[in-house]
Amino acid sequence: MTAKPRLVLSSDHADIPMRQTIADHIAAQGWEVIDIGPTTPESTHYPKHGEAAARRVASGECQLGIILCGTGQGIMMAVNKVKGIRCGVCSDTFSTRMIREHNDANMLSLGARVIGLGLALDIVDAFLSAKFEGGRHATRVDMIKAIES
Ligand code: RB5
């Protein structure tokens, strides 16, 4: 039996129910989902939730990560500070497919106050199904990695 691929989910307080629905949606597709919260709606600080998720991806514990905040922007900025993370905010499925196929993104950020749940789930599906194309794109991703070192 092969192990399930593992994905970490995190957010701030912006839309916890959206994050939990996304977790169920991904788990139903055969992923092991590690939802690291938060679970209560008090205002909280997106950088710490983003960093916690990013560390699990950067360490290799999780292959992919999905994060949410109100706009998706602040938490994306936080996770991209962690070495090895490539994350984009997406509000459409084309950009989502591209950040996997061309940029080898390992995290996706969603703006919970920007998009509705139906689009969020379509974007998640696009993120999970797209594959990095390599080739000339690998050269460019290597250039991104070189900036980190
Ligand atoms: C929280 O109010 C809000 O600032 C946060 O969810 C996010 O949008 C930040 O980028």
Side-chain angles (χ1 to χ4, degrees), residues 12-14 46 69-71 74 113:
D12 69 358
H13 52 278
Y46 59 80
C69 69
T71 59
R113 295 176 181 154

Side-chain angles (χ1 to χ4, degrees), residues 99-116:
I99 66 167
R100 290 286 296 132
E101 292 182 357
H102 288 190
N103 314 121
D104 199 19
N106 47 16
M107 296 190 75
L108 166 69
S109 185
L110 299 172
R113 295 176 181 154
V114 180
I115 57 173

